[in-house]
Amino acid sequence: MSEDATPRMGLPMLVAGQAQKEMTHNEALLLIDALVSGAVVQVGLDSPPEAADDGACWIVGAMPTGIWQGQANAVAISTAGGWRFVPPREGMRLWAGVGAGFVLFRNGEWRVGEAHGKVFVEGTQVVGKRLPPVVEPLGGVVVDGQARAAIVAVLEALRVHGLIASDEL
């Protein structure tokens, strides 16, 4: 670990005998303010916006230009003192708005709108690892057409929502 920055987020540390400690402290506060319960305006932007409110954040795209050059995938934070950049860390998660949901940095890339893990409701797991496909009924000597249509509709809805695999796999 470097003695001048925290190991995970690279926040600046105060050091003994340091002049103007408030500058280092304020820099750390700016970064914490942007990242704790962080939210971004846009994901994958390569050029800085023309106007940005203080504290607004963007996830820099893969081919950044201008003042963002060399900051691919970083979180760009607009501040009164200029742009601050935080490199992404494995597992970093930020809110990207209602249309995108959360973005998660995983395996070297930002993944937009994905949920990872299991879902529990009141202590009971309701969604987990996808199970093998469910075979549709083929009928027999006597087929109840309405019941079969209802079962097929339920299976299709489960497939569309990703809760079961398609039988085409």
Side-chain angles (χ1 to χ4, degrees), residues 60-90:
V60 179
M63 308 222 10
T65 61
I67 197 165
W68 284 8
Q69 190 169 5
Q71 300 293 337
N73 289 322
V75 178
I77 306 159
S78 173
T79 69
W83 289 100
R84 304 295 197 275
F85 299 96
V86 176
R89 304 287 195 270
E90 186 71 16

Side-chain angles (χ1 to χ4, degrees), residues 31-43 55-59 75-78 92-98 101-103 110:
L31 298 174
I32 290 169
D33 183 60
L35 297 174
V36 173
S37 295
V40 296
V41 175
Q42 189 175 348
V43 178
C57 300
W58 284 260
I59 293 176
V75 178
I77 306 159
S78 173
M92 184 182 277
R93 188 174 77 154
L94 301 166
W95 179 249
V98 175
F102 284 102
V103 291
W110 287 102

